[in-house]
Amino acid sequence: MDPLLAFLKLLRTSLLVQLRETFAQSTLHGVRFITERGRPFWERFCWFCMVSISTVTTLIIIFNLWERFQTKPTITGPDTGSRNNWTIFPTVLVCPMDVLEVVRGEKVMALLDPLANYTEVEPMVEALAGISYWNMVTLEDVGFLDGKVKNVRSFVFYVGAACADVLSKCWFRGMEMDCCSQFRAVFSEVGFCYGFNAKFYDTMAQWERSTDFNYLYETDKKWGLTIQPSRPSNIYLHSHNEISGLEFHPLTQWEDGFGIGILISMKETYTTEDARQLSVGQRKCIFPNEVKPKYYRDDYTFSGCMKECRIQKCLKYCRCIPPFYAPTVSLPFCTVKQLACLDKYKANITSIRGCQDCELACHNMVFDVEKYSKSVTNVTKDEVVTIEYLTWPIIRYKREVLFGWVDLLVSFGGIAGLFLGFSLLSGVEIIYFFTMRAWCMLYKNRDELIAIEQQKLKQSQNRYDLSLKAGLRYRIRPKLSALARSPLATQSEDQTKRSFNSRHVITVGLIEQDFEAIKVPNNRGLILAEPTKRYISRSDRIANLARPNQFRSNLKVPYSEENSNGRLYNGYLP
C-alpha cells in the first residue's frame, strides 16, 4: 500500500478515536450520547437533533450580538452632571458678494499694464477676485490676466475689499467694538471673507492659527454679536474649531434695507475615553489627537479632513491647488491658465466620493437656529444682523460605550453556556484533542491504530448465496402428514438439518413451485435472512397468477461466505 495512503488512513482513525473521546469527556451537554456505544439509533438521532438545534440557536444569537457590537456599541445622551458658565462664541463669517475694491483694482492694473483700460478689464478682475468653488473661472473669463498675474492668491488679497469696506459697526455682548480688530481675513472655499472668532485665518503667504478668542459668560447682559455690513454679504456660522469651507451653508444673506435677527442654540457633544477601545467605524467619530492631518497641521476636524481630501483630488486631476488653499506644506498654486482644469473637474473634486474616511470629531458643536426674523427697515442704524443665544445653559451630550469588548465576551459566554454548556476551556479541549493528542497518538500509539484497522478488516460482512445445489432437493421434502412419516425418516431429516446448520448457510428448497427462506443464525447470533414465508395453498397461488400486482417485491436472497455468486430472485418460479 502507498505509504501516504496508509498514513492518511491512520490519521483518519486517530481523529475518529479522538472524536469519541472528546464527546465522551467534554462538558458540552448531550454530545456524549451521540457516540456512546450500545445506544439505539433513535436515541442517538434525538440527541443529535437537540444538540444541532441548540448550536444553531447559539450561533444566531451570537451573530446578532456581534452585529450590535459593530453598529451600535455607543449611546449618546444628555450630560446632566456638568454645567458650564462660559463658552466660546462661534465663528461668524461675513463674505461680501462684491469682493472687488475699485481703488485697489485700478492700482493693481497700473502695475500690471498701465496702458490697459480698467473699465474693459474690470469684469475679469472682479471674476478672478471672487474665485471659489461656486465661481470658478476659466481662461475665457480672465484671458487678459493670463501671464500678467503670477500668483492668483496674492492678486486676490491685493484687489480684495478691506475690512472697513465690508463692516461699518460691530457690538459684542452688548458693547461696541472695533470690527477690523476682531474680524480677520479668511480666504476659504466659499470665497474671500472676514471672520469673527475664527481659529484659522489667512494671510497673503499662508494659513495661520489663532489663539485669541472671545468668550461668552452666563452673567453677560447680552449673549450675542451684532454687525452692520456695508455691502450685501453672505453670513456663515460654525464652530470655532472647524475650518470654513463647503461643509457649511450660509446662515442668511444680508442686503441693504433689511434687519435680521437670529436666535441660536448650541449642542455640544463629547466622547468619553472608554470609546477609544472601539474602532472609528464603530463609534462613528475620531478623537482630535487620533489622526494627524497631512497638510493642515492641527487637531483633527471633519471640515479639515474634507478639505485635505479635496486638495488631494486637485493634485490628482490638475497637479496644483486653488488659491484659496494655503497649507503649511508647500504645494504648487494653480496659474490663471490652470484654473480651467479646476473648472473642468469641479464636480469630481467637490463630490464626497473618495472622502468616506472622514468622520465627525468626537468633540463637536452644532448650532441650531431657533428663531429667524428678517424685516425691512427705514433707518440705517437698524440695518444690522444680530446673532444671539436664545437660552442658557448650553446643552451638552455625552457619547459613552454601551456595549464594549468585555460585554461582548460575557454575552458570548452566557449564551454558549446556556444552550450548550460551552466554556473557553471547552474550546481549548477540542483544539487539544484534534491537534496535539491526535498527532501524539499517531506517532506514539501507532500499534494501537494499526490494530484497530486490522480489526475492521477482519470483521466479516454479511454475504448471501442463492445458488441452487442439486443436493439441496433432499434437504426439504414435501410436507407429509404425521402418520405417513416414519421415525427413521424423521431422525434422518433432523440429522440433515443439523449438518447444514453447522455450516451456517441458508438452504433453499423447491417444493411444488413454492419458495421458502429458512432463518439461520451466523456465528455472532445474527439473523441472515428474512422471516420464513407462510405457506400458500396451490389454489391460492393459481388465483394469484391472474393478479401479478399482488406479488411481493423483489427479494435479494442471502448467500453464504463459501459461495459469493449471488443471484437476484423475485420470489416466484415459473
Side-chain angles (χ1 to χ4, degrees):
M1 181 182 294
D2 188 5
L4 179 59
L5 183 60
F7 175 80
L8 293 177
K9 285 187 176 181
L10 292 179
L11 179 61
R12 180 194 62 182
T13 305
S14 177
L15 292 175
L16 292 176
V17 171
Q18 299 306 325
L19 177 63
R20 295 192 186 96
E21 291 189 7
T22 302
F23 280 11
Q25 302 178 18
S26 177
T27 58
L28 298 178
H29 300 327
V31 295
R32 65 178 179 271
F33 302 114
I34 299 176
T35 58
E36 187 175 357
R37 296 181 178 179
R39 297 285 179 180
F41 172 77
W42 65 267
E43 184 178 348
R44 294 184 181 183
F45 180 75
C46 290
W47 279 109
F48 175 78
C49 292
M50 287 187 286
V51 172
S52 300
I53 293 173
S54 299
T55 303
V56 171
T57 305
T58 302
L59 293 177
I60 292 175
I61 298 177
I62 286 177
F63 177 78
N64 292 332
L65 291 173
W66 177 258
E67 184 179 6
R68 177 188 175 189
F69 175 70
Q70 292 295 328
T71 56
K72 300 178 181 178
T74 61
I75 185 173
T76 304
D79 184 14
T80 58
S82 62
R83 176 185 176 89
N84 288 347
N85 56 1
W86 62 270
T87 184
I88 300 178
F89 197 81
T91 299
V92 178
L93 287 183
V94 181
C95 303
M97 298 180 185
D98 183 12
V99 180
L100 182 62
E101 184 180 356
V102 179
V103 178
R104 285 191 179 185
E106 292 178 350
K107 292 181 179 180
V108 171
M109 289 306 302
L111 295 175
L112 296 178
D113 190 354
L115 301 178
N117 187 358
Y118 179 75
T119 306
E120 296 179 357
V121 300
E122 183 179 1
M124 300 181 185
V125 176
E126 185 177 358
L128 192 60
I131 185 173
S132 65
Y133 273 126
W134 307 134
N135 299 310
M136 192 63 67
V137 297
T138 62
L139 189 61
E140 297 177 357
D141 301 328
V142 291
F144 173 79
L145 300 178
D146 182 26
K148 296 181 173 59
V149 177
K150 302 299 182 181
N151 191 319
V152 180
R153 181 180 177 87
S154 300
F155 179 80
V156 173
F157 272 88
Y158 275 126
V159 302
C163 174
D165 298 329
V166 177
L167 297 170
S168 300
K169 294 182 179 181
C170 302
W171 295 266
F172 181 63
R173 296 189 298 187
M175 297 179 292
E176 188 175 358
M177 65 177 183
D178 182 17
C179 296
C180 295
S181 64
Q182 299 297 329
F183 282 84
R184 298 183 180 182
V186 177
F187 194 15
S188 66
E189 297 171 331
V190 296
F192 189 80
C193 311
Y194 285 93
F196 173 78
N197 239 29
K199 184 178 181 180
F200 311 97
Y201 63 94
D202 290 83
T203 62
M204 187 179 296
Q206 65 179 7
W207 163 91
E208 293 184 7
R209 187 178 185 274
S210 175
T211 57
D212 187 15
F213 300 106
N214 292 280
Y215 293 84
L216 199 65
Y217 297 93
E218 187 178 3
T219 56
D220 292 331
K221 295 181 179 180
K222 194 170 183 179
W223 304 321
L225 171 71
T226 302
I227 58 176
Q228 187 178 25
S230 301
R231 59 180 65 189
S233 305
N234 291 320
I235 311 297
Y236 292 84
L237 181 73
H238 59 78
S239 172
H240 71 282
N241 288 322
E242 301 289 346
I243 302 176
S244 304
L246 297 181
E247 287 70 42
F248 308 101
H249 299 281
L251 183 66
T252 185
Q253 184 177 352
W254 182 86
E255 297 175 352
D256 292 335
F258 288 91
I260 299 175
I262 303 174
L263 296 178
I264 62 173
S265 63
M266 186 182 77
K267 297 178 181 178
E268 181 181 3
T269 303
Y270 71 96
T271 306
T272 59
E273 290 294 323
D274 294 341
R276 289 184 181 270
Q277 62 179 299
L278 305 176
S279 64
V280 175
Q282 289 177 298
R283 62 176 181 258
K284 301 295 186 301
C285 71
I286 299 177
F287 285 94
N289 57 352
E290 189 174 12
V291 176
K292 291 296 182 182
K294 182 178 180 181
Y295 302 114
Y296 292 90
R297 294 173 181 174
D298 197 80
D299 293 339
Y300 174 85
T301 57
F302 174 73
S303 58
C305 179
M306 294 296 294
K307 182 172 288 189
E308 290 203 345
C309 179
R310 287 189 284 269
I311 289 177
Q312 293 177 357
K313 289 183 179 180
C314 292
L315 295 174
K316 175 183 177 182
Y317 291 117
C318 302
R319 298 182 180 180
C320 62
I321 61 174
F324 40 76
Y325 290 144
T328 53
V329 179
S330 178
L331 295 175
F333 286 104
C334 293
T335 62
V336 175
K337 183 180 295 185
Q338 289 176 317
L339 295 179
C341 177
L342 296 177
D343 182 71
K344 178 181 179 181
Y345 295 103
K346 179 175 62 176
N348 294 334
I349 294 173
T350 57
S351 174
I352 61 174
R353 292 183 179 180
C355 304
Q356 286 81 5
D357 294 337
C358 295
E359 294 283 353
L360 291 176
C362 289
H363 189 178
N364 62 86
M365 288 177 284
V366 178
F367 298 90
D368 296 330
V369 177
E370 301 295 341
K371 186 178 179 180
Y372 177 85
S373 62
K374 185 175 183 180
S375 58
V376 180
T377 60
N378 297 324
V379 184
T380 305
K381 65 178 182 179
D382 294 334
E383 296 177 356
V384 296
V385 178
T386 301
I387 302 174
E388 187 177 1
Y389 278 98
L390 177 62
T391 59
W392 199 281
I394 307 302
I395 302 175
R396 299 191 69 190
Y397 293 93
K398 178 173 64 175
R399 183 188 291 112
E400 55 186 346
V401 178
L402 177 65
F403 199 72
W405 282 104
V406 176
D407 302 310
L408 182 68
L409 183 62
V410 171
S411 300
F412 282 1
I415 295 300
L418 176 64
F419 285 94
L420 297 173
F422 184 85
S423 65
L424 188 61
L425 289 180
S426 299
V428 175
E429 287 180 356
I430 293 175
I431 298 175
Y432 163 71
F433 272 102
F434 286 98
T435 54
M436 183 183 299
R437 189 153 178 162
W439 284 100
C440 290
M441 185 177 185
L442 185 62
Y443 287 100
K444 293 186 177 181
N445 303 93
R446 184 180 292 267
D447 297 338
E448 182 179 350
L449 296 176
I450 295 175
I452 294 175
E453 286 291 329
Q454 292 178 353
Q455 184 67 23
K456 291 181 181 179
L457 296 176
K458 289 181 179 179
Q459 292 179 355
S460 60
Q461 300 180 357
N462 295 333
R463 297 180 178 180
Y464 307 94
D465 184 16
L466 192 58
S467 60
L468 301 180
K469 298 181 180 179
L472 294 181
R473 57 192 179 96
Y474 300 104
R475 169 65 183 87
I476 300 178
R477 298 182 179 180
K479 294 183 178 180
L480 302 177
S481 61
L483 296 176
R485 291 186 179 180
S486 62
L488 184 60
T490 303
Q491 182 179 4
S492 176
E493 184 177 352
D494 294 338
Q495 293 177 357
T496 305
K497 289 182 180 180
R498 286 194 298 271
S499 64
F500 279 100
N501 288 338
S502 62
R503 294 173 59 187
H504 305 290
V505 297
I506 296 178
T507 59
V508 180
L510 192 65
I511 306 173
E512 295 180 356
Q513 298 182 355
D514 187 16
F515 173 78
E516 181 179 6
I518 302 175
K519 300 182 294 182
V520 179
N522 61 2
N523 56 357
R524 289 177 294 177
L526 300 177
I527 302 299
L528 299 181
E530 294 183 348
T532 306
K533 183 180 178 181
R534 68 182 181 85
Y535 178 76
I536 303 176
S537 64
R538 184 180 185 85
S539 60
D540 293 338
R541 291 197 301 272
I542 295 174
N544 290 336
L545 291 176
R547 295 176 293 176
N549 293 334
Q550 301 289 333
F551 294 170
R552 292 181 57 189
S553 59
N554 292 349
L555 174 65
K556 189 175 290 187
V557 181
Y559 60 93
S560 64
E561 295 182 359
E562 289 83 355
N563 189 356
S564 61
N565 297 324
R567 300 178 183 177
L568 185 64
Y569 182 62
N570 61 1
Y572 295 90
L573 295 178

